[in-house]
Amino acid sequence: MSPSMAVTRAELFAHLDKLGLAHSTVEHEPLHTVEESQDLYGRVPGGHAKNLFVKDKKSRLFLISLRANATIDLKKVHETIGASGRVSFCSADQLWEHLGLRPGSVTPFGAINDTAGAVTVILEKTLMEMTPVNFHPLENTATTSIAPADLISFLNAINHAPTILDLPTTE
């Protein structure tokens, strides 16, 4: 994907607005990791997420979103998500090619750039029980809050119906 083909943050917000989905965004310094996001939690209510872009042994792609404070069991998650064998992290090039995102900016909103439908979106059930849920809006200089049902509506509208699962995690 070339940089000119990736959806911009403004285009994402316009798409959410067109769908009638409420959202709010807080600007902040670039945040690359969950650890860097800790002080944001007091300012932005709701469920905060970590997002993993992984592939299985058959190169099937999965975007997994779960609670920021949970640790996923990467040795077992393939059994839950229906992957072929253990999963491994995708490269920065694969992240850009399929989701139009840079490392540190992984978000389910990136599925809007997966026009080929190659990525399966997995949302943790416990995260989706929090309101609102918070994700980067395609770049890590802001956090966007959205109701879980509205996130699902967005994903359905872009032909990425998510799978909501209890994932193998530890707190």
Side-chain angles (χ1 to χ4, degrees):
M1 175 175 304
S2 72
S4 62
M5 292 177 62
V7 171
T8 66
R9 180 167 73 160
E11 291 167 333
L12 169 67
F13 293 158
H15 193 80
L16 293 170
D17 292 343
K18 182 177 138 192
L19 294 171
L21 305 175
H23 58 94
S24 63
T25 299
V26 173
E27 304 289 331
H28 50 67
E29 292 297 314
L31 301 173
H32 299 92
T33 65
V34 169
E35 291 74 29
E36 291 177 5
S37 305
Q38 297 296 315
D39 75 321
L40 184 66
Y41 300 168
R43 295 186 288 142
V44 179
H48 292 270
K50 69 173 75 173
N51 302 280
L52 311 173
F53 188 48
V54 298
K55 62 184 175 182
D56 69 7
K57 292 191 183 290
K58 293 185 177 179
S59 296
R60 288 179 45 221
L61 304 171
F62 299 86
L63 174 61
I64 303 171
S65 298
L66 67 152
R67 289 163 292 137
N69 64 342
T71 301
I72 195 162
D73 187 339
L74 287 173
K75 293 179 181 175
K76 292 183 180 177
V77 72
H78 69 282
E79 298 166 359
T80 305
I81 66 173
S84 297
R86 289 188 182 170
V87 298
S88 59
F89 289 99
C90 291
S91 69
D93 288 342
Q94 290 169 312
L95 179 61
W96 178 255
E97 177 186 346
H98 295 284
L99 296 175
L101 300 172
R102 299 290 183 208
S105 299
V106 181
T107 171
F109 291 128
I112 197 169
N113 287 314
D114 178 33
T115 55
V119 178
T120 299
V121 178
I122 307 290
L123 303 173
E124 181 196 29
K125 183 176 183 275
T126 304
L127 174 65
M128 297 309 289
E129 292 169 349
M130 300 175 174
T131 301
V133 287
N134 300 289
F135 302 98
H136 290 313
L138 307 177
E139 53 192 49
N140 64 0
T141 57
T143 296
T144 297
S145 302
I146 188 168
D150 288 346
L151 176 64
I152 293 167
S153 293
F154 163 76
L155 291 166
N156 286 334
I158 60 167
N159 298 315
H160 279 79
T163 302
I164 301 171
L165 298 169
D166 283 316
L167 297 173
T169 62
T170 58
E171 299 303 313

mmCIF file of all heavy atoms in Angstrom, residues 108-140:
data_model
loop_
_atom_site.group_PDB
_atom_site.id
_atom_site.type_symbol
_atom_site.label_atom_id
_atom_site.label_comp_id
_atom_site.label_asym_id
_atom_site.label_seq_id
_atom_site.Cartn_x
_atom_site.Cartn_y
_atom_site.Cartn_z
ATOM 1 N N PRO A 108 -8.004 -1.647 15.603
ATOM 2 C CA PRO A 108 -9.020 -2.256 14.746
ATOM 3 C C PRO A 108 -9.542 -1.295 13.677
ATOM 4 O O PRO A 108 -10.053 -1.740 12.642
ATOM 5 C CB PRO A 108 -10.123 -2.699 15.709
ATOM 6 C CG PRO A 108 -9.836 -2.043 16.993
ATOM 7 C CD PRO A 108 -8.400 -1.646 17.009
ATOM 8 N N PHE A 109 -9.391 0.006 13.886
ATOM 9 C CA PHE A 109 -9.789 0.958 12.853
ATOM 10 C C PHE A 109 -8.975 0.745 11.576
ATOM 11 O O PHE A 109 -9.407 1.104 10.483
ATOM 12 C CB PHE A 109 -9.615 2.399 13.331
ATOM 13 C CG PHE A 109 -10.575 2.819 14.419
ATOM 14 C CD1 PHE A 109 -10.094 3.395 15.587
ATOM 15 C CD2 PHE A 109 -11.944 2.659 14.286
ATOM 16 C CE1 PHE A 109 -10.962 3.803 16.595
ATOM 17 C CE2 PHE A 109 -12.826 3.060 15.278
ATOM 18 C CZ PHE A 109 -12.326 3.632 16.441
ATOM 19 N N GLY A 110 -7.790 0.157 11.688
ATOM 20 C CA GLY A 110 -6.948 -0.100 10.527
ATOM 21 C C GLY A 110 -7.567 -1.068 9.533
ATOM 22 O O GLY A 110 -7.160 -1.099 8.368
ATOM 23 N N ALA A 111 -8.553 -1.833 9.970
ATOM 24 C CA ALA A 111 -9.225 -2.764 9.047
ATOM 25 C C ALA A 111 -9.848 -2.022 7.864
ATOM 26 O O ALA A 111 -10.082 -2.624 6.815
ATOM 27 C CB ALA A 111 -10.271 -3.582 9.796
ATOM 28 N N ILE A 112 -10.082 -0.733 8.005
ATOM 29 C CA ILE A 112 -10.643 0.054 6.901
ATOM 30 C C ILE A 112 -9.708 0.041 5.689
ATOM 31 O O ILE A 112 -10.140 0.200 4.556
ATOM 32 C CB ILE A 112 -10.960 1.503 7.356
ATOM 33 C CG1 ILE A 112 -11.906 2.178 6.366
ATOM 34 C CG2 ILE A 112 -9.687 2.317 7.578
ATOM 35 C CD1 ILE A 112 -12.492 3.492 6.855
ATOM 36 N N ASN A 113 -8.413 -0.180 5.916
ATOM 37 C CA ASN A 113 -7.438 -0.220 4.829
ATOM 38 C C ASN A 113 -7.263 -1.610 4.225
ATOM 39 O O ASN A 113 -6.583 -1.753 3.216
ATOM 40 C CB ASN A 113 -6.080 0.294 5.321
ATOM 41 C CG ASN A 113 -6.082 1.789 5.528
ATOM 42 O OD1 ASN A 113 -6.558 2.545 4.685
ATOM 43 N ND2 ASN A 113 -5.556 2.227 6.658
ATOM 44 N N ASP A 114 -7.861 -2.616 4.838
ATOM 45 C CA ASP A 114 -7.728 -3.993 4.339
ATOM 46 C C ASP A 114 -8.825 -4.264 3.311
ATOM 47 O O ASP A 114 -9.756 -5.023 3.556
ATOM 48 C CB ASP A 114 -7.793 -4.993 5.503
ATOM 49 C CG ASP A 114 -7.713 -6.435 5.035
ATOM 50 O OD1 ASP A 114 -7.019 -6.701 4.032
ATOM 51 O OD2 ASP A 114 -8.360 -7.292 5.659
ATOM 52 N N THR A 115 -8.687 -3.675 2.155
ATOM 53 C CA THR A 115 -9.717 -3.815 1.122
ATOM 54 C C THR A 115 -9.743 -5.223 0.539
ATOM 55 O O THR A 115 -10.755 -5.638 -0.031
ATOM 56 C CB THR A 115 -9.506 -2.782 0.006
ATOM 57 O OG1 THR A 115 -8.175 -2.924 -0.502
ATOM 58 C CG2 THR A 115 -9.700 -1.360 0.540
ATOM 59 N N ALA A 116 -8.663 -5.987 0.707
ATOM 60 C CA ALA A 116 -8.616 -7.357 0.202
ATOM 61 C C ALA A 116 -9.314 -8.338 1.145
ATOM 62 O O ALA A 116 -9.563 -9.479 0.768
ATOM 63 C CB ALA A 116 -7.169 -7.788 0.004
ATOM 64 N N GLY A 117 -9.631 -7.894 2.361
ATOM 65 C CA GLY A 117 -10.294 -8.778 3.318
ATOM 66 C C GLY A 117 -9.405 -9.886 3.832
ATOM 67 O O GLY A 117 -9.887 -10.960 4.198
ATOM 68 N N ALA A 118 -8.101 -9.636 3.910
ATOM 69 C CA ALA A 118 -7.140 -10.655 4.327
ATOM 70 C C ALA A 118 -7.028 -10.805 5.842
ATOM 71 O O ALA A 118 -6.514 -11.804 6.323
ATOM 72 C CB ALA A 118 -5.759 -10.335 3.753
ATOM 73 N N VAL A 119 -7.505 -9.819 6.590
ATOM 74 C CA VAL A 119 -7.296 -9.790 8.036
ATOM 75 C C VAL A 119 -8.577 -10.171 8.781
ATOM 76 O O VAL A 119 -9.647 -9.621 8.512
ATOM 77 C CB VAL A 119 -6.817 -8.392 8.492
ATOM 78 C CG1 VAL A 119 -6.630 -8.330 10.006
ATOM 79 C CG2 VAL A 119 -5.529 -8.001 7.771
ATOM 80 N N THR A 120 -8.443 -11.097 9.721
ATOM 81 C CA THR A 120 -9.539 -11.476 10.608
ATOM 82 C C THR A 120 -9.409 -10.655 11.888
ATOM 83 O O THR A 120 -8.350 -10.646 12.518
ATOM 84 C CB THR A 120 -9.470 -12.980 10.951
ATOM 85 O OG1 THR A 120 -9.586 -13.723 9.739
ATOM 86 C CG2 THR A 120 -10.562 -13.386 11.922
ATOM 87 N N VAL A 121 -10.478 -9.953 12.263
ATOM 88 C CA VAL A 121 -10.464 -9.120 13.462
ATOM 89 C C VAL A 121 -11.027 -9.926 14.635
ATOM 90 O O VAL A 121 -12.141 -10.441 14.565
ATOM 91 C CB VAL A 121 -11.277 -7.826 13.260
ATOM 92 C CG1 VAL A 121 -11.298 -6.991 14.536
ATOM 93 C CG2 VAL A 121 -10.708 -7.017 12.085
ATOM 94 N N ILE A 122 -10.234 -10.009 15.703
ATOM 95 C CA ILE A 122 -10.615 -10.705 16.920
ATOM 96 C C ILE A 122 -10.681 -9.685 18.048
ATOM 97 O O ILE A 122 -9.707 -8.963 18.297
ATOM 98 C CB ILE A 122 -9.579 -11.798 17.296
ATOM 99 C CG1 ILE A 122 -9.304 -12.754 16.133
ATOM 100 C CG2 ILE A 122 -9.993 -12.507 18.579
ATOM 101 C CD1 ILE A 122 -10.438 -13.672 15.774
ATOM 102 N N LEU A 123 -11.814 -9.615 18.726
ATOM 103 C CA LEU A 123 -11.986 -8.708 19.867
ATOM 104 C C LEU A 123 -12.201 -9.530 21.126
ATOM 105 O O LEU A 123 -13.025 -10.450 21.135
ATOM 106 C CB LEU A 123 -13.178 -7.781 19.632
ATOM 107 C CG LEU A 123 -13.137 -6.921 18.360
ATOM 108 C CD1 LEU A 123 -14.452 -6.184 18.183
ATOM 109 C CD2 LEU A 123 -11.966 -5.955 18.394
ATOM 110 N N GLU A 124 -11.480 -9.172 22.171
ATOM 111 C CA GLU A 124 -11.643 -9.869 23.439
ATOM 112 C C GLU A 124 -13.001 -9.533 24.051
ATOM 113 O O GLU A 124 -13.378 -8.357 24.145
ATOM 114 C CB GLU A 124 -10.524 -9.472 24.403
ATOM 115 C CG GLU A 124 -10.627 -10.178 25.736
ATOM 116 C CD GLU A 124 -9.794 -9.536 26.816
ATOM 117 O OE1 GLU A 124 -9.558 -8.317 26.773
ATOM 118 O OE2 GLU A 124 -9.403 -10.275 27.736
ATOM 119 N N LYS A 125 -13.722 -10.561 24.476
ATOM 120 C CA LYS A 125 -15.058 -10.387 25.052
ATOM 121 C C LYS A 125 -15.037 -9.447 26.258
ATOM 122 O O LYS A 125 -15.873 -8.554 26.371
ATOM 123 C CB LYS A 125 -15.625 -11.750 25.453
ATOM 124 C CG LYS A 125 -17.032 -11.709 25.991
ATOM 125 C CD LYS A 125 -17.544 -13.136 26.277
ATOM 126 C CE LYS A 125 -18.966 -13.123 26.745
ATOM 127 N NZ LYS A 125 -19.092 -12.903 28.169
ATOM 128 N N THR A 126 -14.063 -9.604 27.142
ATOM 129 C CA THR A 126 -13.996 -8.765 28.346
ATOM 130 C C THR A 126 -13.779 -7.304 27.974
ATOM 131 O O THR A 126 -14.388 -6.412 28.577
ATOM 132 C CB THR A 126 -12.887 -9.258 29.286
ATOM 133 O OG1 THR A 126 -13.133 -10.641 29.584
ATOM 134 C CG2 THR A 126 -12.859 -8.468 30.581
ATOM 135 N N LEU A 127 -12.939 -7.021 26.990
ATOM 136 C CA LEU A 127 -12.734 -5.644 26.528
ATOM 137 C C LEU A 127 -14.044 -5.073 26.000
ATOM 138 O O LEU A 127 -14.405 -3.932 26.292
ATOM 139 C CB LEU A 127 -11.656 -5.585 25.442
ATOM 140 C CG LEU A 127 -11.453 -4.221 24.785
ATOM 141 C CD1 LEU A 127 -10.925 -3.198 25.792
ATOM 142 C CD2 LEU A 127 -10.510 -4.337 23.587
ATOM 143 N N MET A 128 -14.771 -5.876 25.244
ATOM 144 C CA MET A 128 -15.998 -5.389 24.623
ATOM 145 C C MET A 128 -17.139 -5.214 25.621
ATOM 146 O O MET A 128 -18.189 -4.678 25.277
ATOM 147 C CB MET A 128 -16.407 -6.316 23.480
ATOM 148 C CG MET A 128 -15.372 -6.363 22.355
ATOM 149 S SD MET A 128 -14.879 -4.732 21.745
ATOM 150 C CE MET A 128 -16.379 -4.268 20.913
ATOM 151 N N GLU A 129 -16.948 -5.622 26.865
ATOM 152 C CA GLU A 129 -17.934 -5.385 27.918
ATOM 153 C C GLU A 129 -17.676 -4.061 28.622
ATOM 154 O O GLU A 129 -18.432 -3.662 29.499
ATOM 155 C CB GLU A 129 -17.903 -6.546 28.922
ATOM 156 C CG GLU A 129 -18.422 -7.842 28.309
ATOM 157 C CD GLU A 129 -18.173 -9.069 29.165
ATOM 158 O OE1 GLU A 129 -17.406 -8.983 30.159
ATOM 159 O OE2 GLU A 129 -18.724 -10.133 28.820
ATOM 160 N N MET A 130 -16.618 -3.350 28.250
ATOM 161 C CA MET A 130 -16.279 -2.045 28.822
ATOM 162 C C MET A 130 -16.848 -0.958 27.931
ATOM 163 O O MET A 130 -16.990 -1.138 26.730
ATOM 164 C CB MET A 130 -14.763 -1.912 28.947
ATOM 165 C CG MET A 130 -14.146 -2.963 29.822
ATOM 166 S SD MET A 130 -12.343 -2.809 29.801
ATOM 167 C CE MET A 130 -11.923 -4.019 31.034
ATOM 168 N N THR A 131 -17.177 0.174 28.538
ATOM 169 C CA THR A 131 -17.722 1.281 27.760
ATOM 170 C C THR A 131 -17.116 2.597 28.238
ATOM 171 O O THR A 131 -17.143 2.868 29.424
ATOM 172 C CB THR A 131 -19.257 1.349 27.907
ATOM 173 O OG1 THR A 131 -19.807 0.114 27.462
ATOM 174 C CG2 THR A 131 -19.838 2.459 27.084
ATOM 175 N N PRO A 132 -16.608 3.375 27.291
ATOM 176 C CA PRO A 132 -16.350 3.055 25.893
ATOM 177 C C PRO A 132 -15.077 2.209 25.780
ATOM 178 O O PRO A 132 -14.430 1.902 26.789
ATOM 179 C CB PRO A 132 -16.133 4.428 25.257
ATOM 180 C CG PRO A 132 -15.480 5.223 26.351
ATOM 181 C CD PRO A 132 -16.150 4.730 27.626
ATOM 182 N N VAL A 133 -14.711 1.872 24.540
ATOM 183 C CA VAL A 133 -13.420 1.253 24.264
ATOM 184 C C VAL A 133 -12.570 2.292 23.537
ATOM 185 O O VAL A 133 -13.100 3.159 22.836
ATOM 186 C CB VAL A 133 -13.555 -0.050 23.460
ATOM 187 C CG1 VAL A 133 -14.118 -1.161 24.341
ATOM 188 C CG2 VAL A 133 -14.414 0.125 22.220
ATOM 189 N N ASN A 134 -11.269 2.211 23.748
ATOM 190 C CA ASN A 134 -10.358 3.259 23.273
ATOM 191 C C ASN A 134 -9.254 2.686 22.406
ATOM 192 O O ASN A 134 -8.586 1.728 22.801
ATOM 193 C CB ASN A 134 -9.724 3.962 24.488
ATOM 194 C CG ASN A 134 -10.766 4.597 25.377
ATOM 195 O OD1 ASN A 134 -11.373 5.591 25.009
ATOM 196 N ND2 ASN A 134 -10.981 4.030 26.547
ATOM 197 N N PHE A 135 -9.066 3.322 21.246
ATOM 198 C CA PHE A 135 -8.053 2.874 20.289
ATOM 199 C C PHE A 135 -7.434 4.080 19.604
ATOM 200 O O PHE A 135 -8.060 5.126 19.467
ATOM 201 C CB PHE A 135 -8.682 1.995 19.201
ATOM 202 C CG PHE A 135 -9.377 0.783 19.735
ATOM 203 C CD1 PHE A 135 -10.751 0.778 19.910
ATOM 204 C CD2 PHE A 135 -8.661 -0.359 20.054
ATOM 205 C CE1 PHE A 135 -11.405 -0.342 20.405
ATOM 206 C CE2 PHE A 135 -9.310 -1.484 20.546
ATOM 207 C CZ PHE A 135 -10.679 -1.476 20.715
ATOM 208 N N HIS A 136 -6.219 3.901 19.099
ATOM 209 C CA HIS A 136 -5.621 4.937 18.255
ATOM 210 C C HIS A 136 -6.443 5.047 16.968
ATOM 211 O O HIS A 136 -6.857 4.039 16.407
ATOM 212 C CB HIS A 136 -4.185 4.585 17.877
ATOM 213 C CG HIS A 136 -3.207 4.641 19.002
ATOM 214 N ND1 HIS A 136 -3.122 5.694 19.887
ATOM 215 C CD2 HIS A 136 -2.250 3.762 19.383
ATOM 216 C CE1 HIS A 136 -2.170 5.467 20.751
ATOM 217 N NE2 HIS A 136 -1.626 4.285 20.483
ATOM 218 N N PRO A 137 -6.650 6.285 16.496
ATOM 219 C CA PRO A 137 -7.384 6.485 15.238
ATOM 220 C C PRO A 137 -6.437 6.472 14.025
ATOM 221 O O PRO A 137 -6.283 7.476 13.329
ATOM 222 C CB PRO A 137 -8.032 7.851 15.438
ATOM 223 C CG PRO A 137 -7.027 8.593 16.284
ATOM 224 C CD PRO A 137 -6.415 7.546 17.194
ATOM 225 N N LEU A 138 -5.764 5.333 13.817
ATOM 226 C CA LEU A 138 -4.843 5.099 12.706
ATOM 227 C C LEU A 138 -3.453 5.696 12.926
ATOM 228 O O LEU A 138 -2.545 5.446 12.142
ATOM 229 C CB LEU A 138 -5.403 5.580 11.359
ATOM 230 C CG LEU A 138 -6.779 5.053 10.992
ATOM 231 C CD1 LEU A 138 -7.239 5.657 9.667
ATOM 232 C CD2 LEU A 138 -6.788 3.530 10.917
ATOM 233 N N GLU A 139 -3.294 6.477 13.966
ATOM 234 C CA GLU A 139 -1.982 7.029 14.311
ATOM 235 C C GLU A 139 -1.909 7.141 15.833
ATOM 236 O O GLU A 139 -2.928 7.283 16.502
ATOM 237 C CB GLU A 139 -1.747 8.374 13.629
ATOM 238 C CG GLU A 139 -2.839 9.382 13.873
ATOM 239 C CD GLU A 139 -2.756 10.596 12.975
ATOM 240 O OE1 GLU A 139 -2.612 10.431 11.748
ATOM 241 O OE2 GLU A 139 -2.835 11.718 13.508
ATOM 242 N N ASN A 140 -0.694 7.086 16.364
ATOM 243 C CA ASN A 140 -0.538 6.998 17.813
ATOM 244 C C ASN A 140 -0.416 8.339 18.524
ATOM 245 O O ASN A 140 0.044 8.400 19.657
ATOM 246 C CB ASN A 140 0.650 6.102 18.162
ATOM 247 C CG ASN A 140 1.974 6.656 17.682
ATOM 248 O OD1 ASN A 140 2.038 7.717 17.079
ATOM 249 N ND2 ASN A 140 3.035 5.920 17.940
#
